[in-house]
């Protein structure tokens, strides 16, 4: 189900394909997903570096 289906007064079947509000909603969600991916990638690399450093010191087996 499309999130705006229940709240949009202009809703009709298939209207999301050319709806400006829906397109903006999709762009916003895409930006949010990318920001989350970037956040997770950054901290995954940071934590990986710490683990590698500790491993090199012999603290992690």
């Amino acid at each position: 189900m499309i999130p705006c289906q229940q709240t949009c007064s202009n809703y009709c079947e298939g209207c999301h394909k050319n709806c400006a509000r829906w397109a903006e909603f999709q762009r916003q969600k895409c930006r949010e997903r990318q920001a989350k991916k970037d956040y997770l990638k950054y901290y995954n690399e940071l934590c990986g570096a710490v683990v590698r450093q500790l491993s090199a010191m012999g603290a992690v087996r």
Side-chain angles (χ1 to χ4, degrees):
M1 176 171 28
I2 297 173
C4 61
Q5 184 173 350
Q6 294 176 345
T7 59
C8 183
S9 60
N10 297 328
Y11 177 79
C12 64
E13 190 64 35
C15 66
H16 64 282
K17 295 176 183 175
N18 57 11
C19 178
R21 287 187 295 190
W22 177 250
E24 180 56 34
F25 175 80
Q26 289 293 84
R27 282 190 292 276
Q28 178 63 30
K29 290 297 178 186
C30 183
R31 286 189 294 267
E32 289 175 11
R33 285 190 301 273
Q34 189 59 50
K36 288 177 184 178
K37 287 179 188 177
D38 293 343
Y39 172 88
L40 291 173
K41 181 180 178 194
Y42 173 77
Y43 282 101
N44 188 37
E45 290 173 359
L46 185 65
C47 290
V50 171
V51 169
R52 286 188 298 279
Q53 290 170 354
L54 290 172
S55 181
M57 292 173 29
V60 177
R61 295 180 186 196

Tab-separated table of all heavy atoms in Angstrom:
chain	number	residue	atom	x	y	z
A	1	MET	N	0.838	-1.172	0.000
A	1	MET	CA	0.000	0.000	0.000
A	1	MET	C	0.889	1.244	0.000
A	1	MET	O	1.897	1.306	0.681
A	1	MET	CB	-0.916	0.019	1.211
A	1	MET	CG	-1.700	1.285	1.258
A	1	MET	SD	-3.045	1.591	2.397
A	1	MET	CE	-2.829	0.705	3.825
A	2	ILE	N	0.498	2.212	-0.750
A	2	ILE	CA	1.220	3.479	-0.832
A	2	ILE	C	0.868	4.299	0.418
A	2	ILE	O	-0.305	4.425	0.769
A	2	ILE	CB	0.808	4.232	-2.116
A	2	ILE	CG1	1.221	3.387	-3.326
A	2	ILE	CG2	1.436	5.596	-2.172
A	2	ILE	CD1	0.736	3.924	-4.636
A	3	PRO	N	1.879	4.868	1.113
A	3	PRO	CA	1.619	5.580	2.369
A	3	PRO	C	0.598	6.710	2.262
A	3	PRO	O	-0.160	6.951	3.188
A	3	PRO	CB	2.982	6.138	2.764
A	3	PRO	CG	3.961	5.323	2.040
A	3	PRO	CD	3.293	4.841	0.796
A	4	CYS	N	0.548	7.390	1.144
A	4	CYS	CA	-0.360	8.537	1.023
A	4	CYS	C	-1.770	8.115	0.608
A	4	CYS	O	-2.672	8.947	0.528
A	4	CYS	CB	0.192	9.539	0.024
A	4	CYS	SG	0.379	8.862	-1.637
A	5	GLN	N	-1.969	6.861	0.358
A	5	GLN	CA	-3.260	6.384	-0.159
A	5	GLN	C	-4.425	6.758	0.759
A	5	GLN	O	-5.478	7.164	0.281
A	5	GLN	CB	-3.211	4.867	-0.327
A	5	GLN	CG	-4.457	4.273	-0.933
A	5	GLN	CD	-4.276	2.786	-1.237
A	5	GLN	OE1	-3.178	2.269	-1.153
A	5	GLN	NE2	-5.348	2.130	-1.570
A	6	GLN	N	-4.228	6.677	2.056
A	6	GLN	CA	-5.327	6.959	2.981
A	6	GLN	C	-5.516	8.449	3.267
A	6	GLN	O	-6.595	8.866	3.657
A	6	GLN	CB	-5.100	6.218	4.291
A	6	GLN	CG	-5.164	4.713	4.116
A	6	GLN	CD	-4.849	3.978	5.399
A	6	GLN	OE1	-4.330	4.558	6.334
A	6	GLN	NE2	-5.161	2.697	5.422
A	7	THR	N	-4.482	9.248	3.056
A	7	THR	CA	-4.570	10.661	3.427
A	7	THR	C	-4.683	11.611	2.243
A	7	THR	O	-5.000	12.780	2.429
A	7	THR	CB	-3.337	11.067	4.249
A	7	THR	OG1	-2.166	10.831	3.469
A	7	THR	CG2	-3.250	10.281	5.549
A	8	CYS	N	-4.417	11.138	1.046
A	8	CYS	CA	-4.443	12.024	-0.120
A	8	CYS	C	-5.852	12.102	-0.705
A	8	CYS	O	-6.436	11.089	-1.091
A	8	CYS	CB	-3.469	11.520	-1.181
A	8	CYS	SG	-3.383	12.599	-2.632
A	9	SER	N	-6.356	13.313	-0.809
A	9	SER	CA	-7.700	13.496	-1.354
A	9	SER	C	-7.736	13.286	-2.866
A	9	SER	O	-8.804	13.062	-3.441
A	9	SER	CB	-8.219	14.896	-1.016
A	9	SER	OG	-7.357	15.864	-1.586
A	10	ASN	N	-6.587	13.346	-3.514
A	10	ASN	CA	-6.514	13.172	-4.967
A	10	ASN	C	-6.140	11.758	-5.376
A	10	ASN	O	-5.864	11.505	-6.539
A	10	ASN	CB	-5.478	14.137	-5.559
A	10	ASN	CG	-5.871	15.577	-5.334
A	10	ASN	OD1	-7.043	15.908	-5.307
A	10	ASN	ND2	-4.881	16.430	-5.148
A	11	TYR	N	-6.126	10.825	-4.431
A	11	TYR	CA	-5.676	9.464	-4.731
A	11	TYR	C	-6.618	8.756	-5.706
A	11	TYR	O	-7.834	8.815	-5.577
A	11	TYR	CB	-5.558	8.622	-3.453
A	11	TYR	CG	-5.162	7.209	-3.773
A	11	TYR	CD1	-3.849	6.887	-4.060
A	11	TYR	CD2	-6.114	6.193	-3.835
A	11	TYR	CE1	-3.481	5.614	-4.391
A	11	TYR	CE2	-5.759	4.903	-4.162
A	11	TYR	CZ	-4.437	4.613	-4.443
A	11	TYR	OH	-4.080	3.340	-4.778
A	12	CYS	N	-6.016	8.096	-6.659
A	12	CYS	CA	-6.730	7.168	-7.527
A	12	CYS	C	-5.739	6.091	-7.935
A	12	CYS	O	-4.524	6.287	-7.824
A	12	CYS	CB	-7.322	7.864	-8.751
A	12	CYS	SG	-6.088	8.574	-9.849
A	13	GLU	N	-6.193	4.960	-8.370
A	13	GLU	CA	-5.322	3.844	-8.701
A	13	GLU	C	-4.285	4.248	-9.754
A	13	GLU	O	-4.628	4.763	-10.815
A	13	GLU	CB	-6.155	2.670	-9.232
A	13	GLU	CG	-5.377	1.391	-9.371
A	13	GLU	CD	-4.874	0.843	-8.049
A	13	GLU	OE1	-5.587	0.982	-7.036
A	13	GLU	OE2	-3.764	0.299	-8.027
A	14	GLY	N	-3.008	4.060	-9.421
A	14	GLY	CA	-1.931	4.353	-10.353
A	14	GLY	C	-1.479	5.801	-10.395
A	14	GLY	O	-0.576	6.138	-11.164
A	15	CYS	N	-2.078	6.673	-9.584
A	15	CYS	CA	-1.732	8.096	-9.664
A	15	CYS	C	-0.316	8.388	-9.170
A	15	CYS	O	0.262	9.403	-9.529
A	15	CYS	CB	-2.725	8.943	-8.893
A	15	CYS	SG	-2.695	8.663	-7.114
A	16	HIS	N	0.255	7.486	-8.368
A	16	HIS	CA	1.598	7.719	-7.834
A	16	HIS	C	2.655	7.750	-8.940
A	16	HIS	O	3.745	8.267	-8.743
A	16	HIS	CB	1.960	6.642	-6.807
A	16	HIS	CG	2.049	5.269	-7.393
A	16	HIS	ND1	0.926	4.524	-7.684
A	16	HIS	CD2	3.110	4.525	-7.754
A	16	HIS	CE1	1.309	3.366	-8.196
A	16	HIS	NE2	2.624	3.330	-8.249
A	17	LYS	N	2.335	7.243	-10.102
A	17	LYS	CA	3.317	7.191	-11.179
A	17	LYS	C	3.659	8.571	-11.736
A	17	LYS	O	4.731	8.763	-12.293
A	17	LYS	CB	2.815	6.281	-12.300
A	17	LYS	CG	2.695	4.843	-11.839
A	17	LYS	CD	2.112	3.964	-12.900
A	17	LYS	CE	1.939	2.540	-12.355
A	17	LYS	NZ	1.277	1.674	-13.296
A	18	ASN	N	2.760	9.527	-11.568
A	18	ASN	CA	3.039	10.878	-12.057
A	18	ASN	C	2.700	11.963	-11.028
A	18	ASN	O	2.502	13.112	-11.379
A	18	ASN	CB	2.305	11.144	-13.378
A	18	ASN	CG	0.814	10.957	-13.245
A	18	ASN	OD1	0.305	10.826	-12.146
A	18	ASN	ND2	0.121	10.938	-14.364
A	19	CYS	N	2.686	11.593	-9.755
A	19	CYS	CA	2.355	12.531	-8.671
A	19	CYS	C	3.627	13.216	-8.159
A	19	CYS	O	4.590	12.552	-7.783
A	19	CYS	CB	1.674	11.784	-7.527
A	19	CYS	SG	1.282	12.831	-6.102
A	20	ALA	N	3.630	14.522	-8.128
A	20	ALA	CA	4.799	15.282	-7.674
A	20	ALA	C	5.072	15.054	-6.188
A	20	ALA	O	6.225	14.939	-5.772
A	20	ALA	CB	4.588	16.772	-7.940
A	21	ARG	N	4.016	14.980	-5.382
A	21	ARG	CA	4.215	14.737	-3.950
A	21	ARG	C	4.817	13.362	-3.707
A	21	ARG	O	5.685	13.196	-2.852
A	21	ARG	CB	2.894	14.866	-3.184
A	21	ARG	CG	2.438	16.308	-3.062
A	21	ARG	CD	1.243	16.423	-2.169
A	21	ARG	NE	0.108	15.717	-2.790
A	21	ARG	CZ	-1.131	15.774	-2.373
A	21	ARG	NH1	-1.428	16.483	-1.310
A	21	ARG	NH2	-2.095	15.131	-2.985
A	22	TRP	N	4.345	12.365	-4.439
A	22	TRP	CA	4.882	11.013	-4.297
A	22	TRP	C	6.354	10.974	-4.733
A	22	TRP	O	7.186	10.350	-4.074
A	22	TRP	CB	4.062	10.021	-5.105
A	22	TRP	CG	4.609	8.630	-5.053
A	22	TRP	CD1	5.206	7.946	-6.057
A	22	TRP	CD2	4.616	7.753	-3.926
A	22	TRP	NE1	5.584	6.706	-5.634
A	22	TRP	CE2	5.237	6.560	-4.328
A	22	TRP	CE3	4.175	7.872	-2.618
A	22	TRP	CZ2	5.415	5.488	-3.460
A	22	TRP	CZ3	4.361	6.793	-1.764
A	22	TRP	CH2	4.971	5.630	-2.189
A	23	ALA	N	6.683	11.654	-5.822
A	23	ALA	CA	8.063	11.695	-6.297
A	23	ALA	C	8.966	12.351	-5.259
A	23	ALA	O	10.077	11.867	-4.998
A	23	ALA	CB	8.144	12.438	-7.625
A	24	GLU	N	8.509	13.428	-4.640
A	24	GLU	CA	9.291	14.097	-3.594
A	24	GLU	C	9.430	13.194	-2.371
A	24	GLU	O	10.499	13.114	-1.764
A	24	GLU	CB	8.652	15.433	-3.202
A	24	GLU	CG	9.412	16.175	-2.131
A	24	GLU	CD	10.866	16.435	-2.479
A	24	GLU	OE1	11.197	16.650	-3.652
A	24	GLU	OE2	11.694	16.393	-1.541
A	25	PHE	N	8.365	12.502	-2.012
A	25	PHE	CA	8.407	11.548	-0.899
A	25	PHE	C	9.462	10.474	-1.177
A	25	PHE	O	10.266	10.140	-0.310
A	25	PHE	CB	7.027	10.912	-0.711
A	25	PHE	CG	6.988	9.834	0.328
A	25	PHE	CD1	6.915	10.147	1.670
A	25	PHE	CD2	7.006	8.498	-0.044
A	25	PHE	CE1	6.878	9.151	2.628
A	25	PHE	CE2	6.964	7.490	0.900
A	25	PHE	CZ	6.901	7.816	2.251
A	26	GLN	N	9.486	9.951	-2.396
A	26	GLN	CA	10.453	8.927	-2.780
A	26	GLN	C	11.884	9.479	-2.732
A	26	GLN	O	12.798	8.799	-2.270
A	26	GLN	CB	10.153	8.402	-4.183
A	26	GLN	CG	8.903	7.558	-4.253
A	26	GLN	CD	9.053	6.268	-3.489
A	26	GLN	OE1	8.856	6.209	-2.290
A	26	GLN	NE2	9.407	5.231	-4.188
A	27	ARG	N	12.086	10.707	-3.208
A	27	ARG	CA	13.415	11.320	-3.159
A	27	ARG	C	13.883	11.492	-1.717
A	27	ARG	O	15.047	11.232	-1.394
A	27	ARG	CB	13.424	12.661	-3.895
A	27	ARG	CG	13.479	12.528	-5.405
A	27	ARG	CD	13.738	13.861	-6.083
A	27	ARG	NE	12.628	14.792	-5.942
A	27	ARG	CZ	11.556	14.816	-6.733
A	27	ARG	NH1	11.464	13.968	-7.737
A	27	ARG	NH2	10.592	15.686	-6.535
A	28	GLN	N	12.974	11.937	-0.851
A	28	GLN	CA	13.320	12.131	0.562
A	28	GLN	C	13.711	10.804	1.204
A	28	GLN	O	14.696	10.719	1.928
A	28	GLN	CB	12.140	12.767	1.318
A	28	GLN	CG	12.388	12.958	2.789
A	28	GLN	CD	13.529	13.917	3.096
A	28	GLN	OE1	13.802	14.832	2.333
A	28	GLN	NE2	14.206	13.705	4.202
A	29	LYS	N	12.936	9.764	0.936
A	29	LYS	CA	13.249	8.436	1.492
A	29	LYS	C	14.585	7.931	0.958
A	29	LYS	O	15.356	7.324	1.694
A	29	LYS	CB	12.137	7.437	1.186
A	29	LYS	CG	10.866	7.694	1.946
A	29	LYS	CD	11.120	7.546	3.421
A	29	LYS	CE	9.894	7.846	4.230
A	29	LYS	NZ	10.167	7.838	5.665
A	30	CYS	N	14.864	8.195	-0.288
A	30	CYS	CA	16.133	7.790	-0.893
A	30	CYS	C	17.293	8.496	-0.196
A	30	CYS	O	18.318	7.873	0.119
A	30	CYS	CB	16.118	8.094	-2.384
A	30	CYS	SG	17.593	7.547	-3.245
A	31	ARG	N	17.137	9.794	0.074
A	31	ARG	CA	18.178	10.551	0.778
A	31	ARG	C	18.379	10.001	2.189
A	31	ARG	O	19.509	9.862	2.659
A	31	ARG	CB	17.822	12.039	0.838
A	31	ARG	CG	18.002	12.765	-0.487
A	31	ARG	CD	17.855	14.265	-0.339
A	31	ARG	NE	16.516	14.676	0.040
A	31	ARG	CZ	15.547	15.027	-0.800
A	31	ARG	NH1	15.790	15.038	-2.101
A	31	ARG	NH2	14.367	15.392	-0.363
A	32	GLU	N	17.272	9.680	2.872
A	32	GLU	CA	17.367	9.129	4.222
A	32	GLU	C	18.075	7.776	4.216
A	32	GLU	O	18.944	7.518	5.065
A	32	GLU	CB	15.979	8.979	4.838
A	32	GLU	CG	15.322	10.285	5.197
A	32	GLU	CD	13.893	10.108	5.688
A	32	GLU	OE1	13.466	8.952	5.945
A	32	GLU	OE2	13.190	11.123	5.815
A	33	ARG	N	17.726	6.914	3.257
A	33	ARG	CA	18.378	5.605	3.169
A	33	ARG	C	19.868	5.759	2.878
A	33	ARG	O	20.688	5.060	3.468
A	33	ARG	CB	17.716	4.740	2.098
A	33	ARG	CG	16.379	4.173	2.502
A	33	ARG	CD	15.889	3.138	1.509
A	33	ARG	NE	15.745	3.633	0.159
A	33	ARG	CZ	14.667	4.224	-0.332
A	33	ARG	NH1	13.602	4.394	0.439
A	33	ARG	NH2	14.630	4.631	-1.586
A	34	GLN	N	20.222	6.690	1.997
A	34	GLN	CA	21.627	6.905	1.678
A	34	GLN	C	22.381	7.436	2.887
A	34	GLN	O	23.515	7.032	3.139
A	34	GLN	CB	21.776	7.854	0.485
A	34	GLN	CG	23.195	7.945	-0.035
A	34	GLN	CD	23.738	6.595	-0.477
A	34	GLN	OE1	23.101	5.880	-1.238
A	34	GLN	NE2	24.903	6.245	-0.001
A	35	ALA	N	21.763	8.337	3.643
A	35	ALA	CA	22.406	8.866	4.845
A	35	ALA	C	22.650	7.745	5.856
A	35	ALA	O	23.714	7.682	6.488
A	35	ALA	CB	21.554	9.967	5.460
A	36	LYS	N	21.695	6.844	6.004
A	36	LYS	CA	21.863	5.714	6.916
A	36	LYS	C	22.977	4.792	6.431
A	36	LYS	O	23.801	4.326	7.230
A	36	LYS	CB	20.564	4.923	7.043
A	36	LYS	CG	19.498	5.650	7.830
A	36	LYS	CD	18.205	4.857	7.872
A	36	LYS	CE	17.110	5.626	8.578
A	36	LYS	NZ	15.831	4.891	8.595
A	37	LYS	N	23.026	4.533	5.139
A	37	LYS	CA	24.092	3.690	4.576
A	37	LYS	C	25.455	4.329	4.809
A	37	LYS	O	26.414	3.644	5.176
A	37	LYS	CB	23.882	3.480	3.082
A	37	LYS	CG	22.755	2.549	2.741
A	37	LYS	CD	22.624	2.436	1.225
A	37	LYS	CE	21.403	1.679	0.821
A	37	LYS	NZ	21.244	1.632	-0.652
A	38	ASP	N	25.552	5.643	4.581
A	38	ASP	CA	26.815	6.351	4.781
A	38	ASP	C	27.253	6.283	6.242
A	38	ASP	O	28.431	6.060	6.540
A	38	ASP	CB	26.700	7.804	4.335
A	38	ASP	CG	26.506	7.953	2.839
A	38	ASP	OD1	26.772	6.978	2.098
A	38	ASP	OD2	26.070	9.043	2.409
A	39	TYR	N	26.307	6.475	7.153
A	39	TYR	CA	26.575	6.402	8.591
A	39	TYR	C	27.103	5.021	8.960
A	39	TYR	O	28.137	4.893	9.620
A	39	TYR	CB	25.288	6.714	9.362
A	39	TYR	CG	25.373	6.485	10.847
A	39	TYR	CD1	25.824	7.490	11.690
A	39	TYR	CD2	24.987	5.274	11.415
A	39	TYR	CE1	25.892	7.293	13.062
A	39	TYR	CE2	25.058	5.069	12.778
A	39	TYR	CZ	25.514	6.078	13.600
A	39	TYR	OH	25.587	5.869	14.946
A	40	LEU	N	26.409	3.977	8.510
A	40	LEU	CA	26.816	2.618	8.835
A	40	LEU	C	28.165	2.273	8.215
A	40	LEU	O	29.002	1.624	8.855
A	40	LEU	CB	25.753	1.621	8.388
A	40	LEU	CG	24.443	1.671	9.168
A	40	LEU	CD1	23.413	0.764	8.514
A	40	LEU	CD2	24.669	1.291	10.621
A	41	LYS	N	28.408	2.712	7.010
A	41	LYS	CA	29.686	2.442	6.352
A	41	LYS	C	30.830	3.116	7.105
A	41	LYS	O	31.870	2.502	7.345
A	41	LYS	CB	29.652	2.936	4.902
A	41	LYS	CG	30.930	2.660	4.157
A	41	LYS	CD	30.855	3.163	2.728
A	41	LYS	CE	32.183	2.902	2.036
A	41	LYS	NZ	32.323	3.605	0.804
A	42	TYR	N	30.625	4.375	7.490
A	42	TYR	CA	31.659	5.107	8.214
A	42	TYR	C	32.018	4.401	9.517
A	42	TYR	O	33.197	4.169	9.813
A	42	TYR	CB	31.192	6.545	8.505
A	42	TYR	CG	32.129	7.304	9.402
A	42	TYR	CD1	33.324	7.821	8.903
A	42	TYR	CD2	31.842	7.480	10.745
A	42	TYR	CE1	34.198	8.519	9.729
A	42	TYR	CE2	32.710	8.167	11.578
A	42	TYR	CZ	33.880	8.679	11.066
A	42	TYR	OH	34.749	9.353	11.890
A	43	TYR	N	31.005	4.051	10.324
A	43	TYR	CA	31.284	3.426	11.608
A	43	TYR	C	31.761	1.989	11.469
A	43	TYR	O	32.518	1.502	12.304
A	43	TYR	CB	30.090	3.556	12.551
A	43	TYR	CG	30.058	4.944	13.134
A	43	TYR	CD1	29.200	5.920	12.647
A	43	TYR	CD2	30.946	5.315	14.134
A	43	TYR	CE1	29.214	7.202	13.141
A	43	TYR	CE2	30.974	6.600	14.645
A	43	TYR	CZ	30.100	7.539	14.145
A	43	TYR	OH	30.141	8.811	14.645
A	44	ASN	N	31.361	1.311	10.417
A	44	ASN	CA	31.884	-0.028	10.166
A	44	ASN	C	33.378	0.047	9.860
A	44	ASN	O	34.171	-0.754	10.365
A	44	ASN	CB	31.131	-0.689	9.013
A	44	ASN	CG	31.503	-2.135	8.847
A	44	ASN	OD1	31.731	-2.844	9.823
A	44	ASN	ND2	31.557	-2.592	7.603
A	45	GLU	N	33.777	1.019	9.042
A	45	GLU	CA	35.195	1.201	8.737
A	45	GLU	C	35.972	1.624	9.980
A	45	GLU	O	37.081	1.142	10.226
A	45	GLU	CB	35.359	2.228	7.626
A	45	GLU	CG	34.880	1.739	6.275
A	45	GLU	CD	34.881	2.819	5.203
A	45	GLU	OE1	35.244	3.971	5.517
A	45	GLU	OE2	34.527	2.499	4.065
A	46	LEU	N	35.394	2.510	10.780
A	46	LEU	CA	36.049	2.982	11.993
A	46	LEU	C	36.250	1.838	12.982
A	46	LEU	O	37.354	1.646	13.508
A	46	LEU	CB	35.212	4.094	12.635
A	46	LEU	CG	35.803	4.790	13.848
A	46	LEU	CD1	37.071	5.549	13.449
A	46	LEU	CD2	34.785	5.744	14.449
A	47	CYS	N	35.229	1.057	13.211
A	47	CYS	CA	35.330	-0.070	14.132
A	47	CYS	C	36.290	-1.127	13.591
A	47	CYS	O	37.044	-1.739	14.355
A	47	CYS	CB	33.959	-0.690	14.389
A	47	CYS	SG	32.882	0.382	15.358
A	48	GLY	N	36.268	-1.336	12.297
A	48	GLY	CA	37.198	-2.281	11.680
A	48	GLY	C	38.637	-1.858	11.889
A	48	GLY	O	39.513	-2.696	12.153
A	49	ALA	N	38.892	-0.570	11.791
A	49	ALA	CA	40.246	-0.057	11.999
A	49	ALA	C	40.684	-0.294	13.440
A	49	ALA	O	41.831	-0.699	13.696
A	49	ALA	CB	40.315	1.432	11.659
A	50	VAL	N	39.801	-0.068	14.385
A	50	VAL	CA	40.129	-0.291	15.797
A	50	VAL	C	40.423	-1.767	16.034
A	50	VAL	O	41.394	-2.115	16.706
A	50	VAL	CB	38.993	0.220	16.713
A	50	VAL	CG1	39.225	-0.211	18.151
A	50	VAL	CG2	38.871	1.730	16.619
A	51	VAL	N	39.605	-2.633	15.479
A	51	VAL	CA	39.819	-4.071	15.647
A	51	VAL	C	41.150	-4.485	15.029
A	51	VAL	O	41.911	-5.262	15.621
A	51	VAL	CB	38.648	-4.881	15.036
A	51	VAL	CG1	38.979	-6.360	14.955
A	51	VAL	CG2	37.379	-4.662	15.842
A	52	ARG	N	41.456	-3.969	13.853
A	52	ARG	CA	42.749	-4.289	13.223
A	52	ARG	C	43.917	-3.802	14.073
A	52	ARG	O	44.920	-4.505	14.237
A	52	ARG	CB	42.819	-3.708	11.810
A	52	ARG	CG	41.986	-4.468	10.802
A	52	ARG	CD	42.239	-3.993	9.371
A	52	ARG	NE	41.885	-2.588	9.160
A	52	ARG	CZ	40.638	-2.147	8.944
A	52	ARG	NH1	39.635	-2.991	8.911
A	52	ARG	NH2	40.413	-0.860	8.739
A	53	GLN	N	43.788	-2.608	14.648
A	53	GLN	CA	44.858	-2.073	15.492
A	53	GLN	C	45.043	-2.915	16.748
A	53	GLN	O	46.170	-3.243	17.135
A	53	GLN	CB	44.561	-0.628	15.869
A	53	GLN	CG	44.667	0.336	14.721
A	53	GLN	CD	44.135	1.718	15.073
A	53	GLN	OE1	43.587	1.938	16.150
A	53	GLN	NE2	44.308	2.657	14.142
A	54	LEU	N	43.942	-3.283	17.375
A	54	LEU	CA	44.028	-4.121	18.576
A	54	LEU	C	44.584	-5.498	18.236
A	54	LEU	O	45.351	-6.067	18.987
A	54	LEU	CB	42.658	-4.242	19.238
A	54	LEU	CG	42.133	-2.971	19.905
A	54	LEU	CD1	40.689	-3.152	20.358
A	54	LEU	CD2	43.010	-2.590	21.088
A	55	SER	N	44.174	-6.015	17.100
A	55	SER	CA	44.669	-7.320	16.656
A	55	SER	C	46.173	-7.266	16.414
A	55	SER	O	46.915	-8.185	16.785
A	55	SER	CB	43.935	-7.749	15.398
A	55	SER	OG	44.390	-9.004	14.976
A	56	ALA	N	46.641	-6.188	15.813
A	56	ALA	CA	48.071	-6.035	15.552
A	56	ALA	C	48.856	-5.916	16.851
A	56	ALA	O	50.010	-6.355	16.934
A	56	ALA	CB	48.308	-4.806	14.684
A	57	MET	N	48.239	-5.362	17.877
A	57	MET	CA	48.893	-5.234	19.183
A	57	MET	C	48.844	-6.539	19.959
A	57	MET	O	49.478	-6.667	20.999
A	57	MET	CB	48.218	-4.131	20.011
A	57	MET	CG	48.441	-2.749	19.454
A	57	MET	SD	47.489	-1.434	20.279
A	57	MET	CE	47.264	-1.960	21.931
A	58	GLY	N	48.043	-7.484	19.488
A	58	GLY	CA	47.926	-8.761	20.182
A	58	GLY	C	46.858	-8.781	21.256
A	58	GLY	O	46.765	-9.712	22.035
A	59	ALA	N	46.031	-7.757	21.295
A	59	ALA	CA	44.982	-7.682	22.312
A	59	ALA	C	43.757	-8.521	21.944
A	59	ALA	O	42.993	-8.909	22.813
A	59	ALA	CB	44.554	-6.237	22.524
A	60	VAL	N	43.589	-8.803	20.672
A	60	VAL	CA	42.431	-9.575	20.203
A	60	VAL	C	42.948	-10.869	19.603
A	60	VAL	O	43.890	-10.867	18.821
A	60	VAL	CB	41.620	-8.786	19.148
A	60	VAL	CG1	40.469	-9.634	18.632
A	60	VAL	CG2	41.110	-7.492	19.734
A	61	ARG	N	42.342	-11.961	19.967
A	61	ARG	CA	42.771	-13.266	19.413
A	61	ARG	C	41.730	-13.825	18.502
A	61	ARG	O	40.630	-13.709	18.529
A	61	ARG	CB	43.032	-14.251	20.528
A	61	ARG	CG	44.184	-13.809	21.378
A	61	ARG	CD	44.395	-14.787	22.449
A	61	ARG	NE	45.433	-14.227	23.326
A	61	ARG	CZ	46.077	-14.934	24.192
A	61	ARG	NH1	45.825	-16.199	24.332
A	61	ARG	NH2	46.976	-14.380	24.940
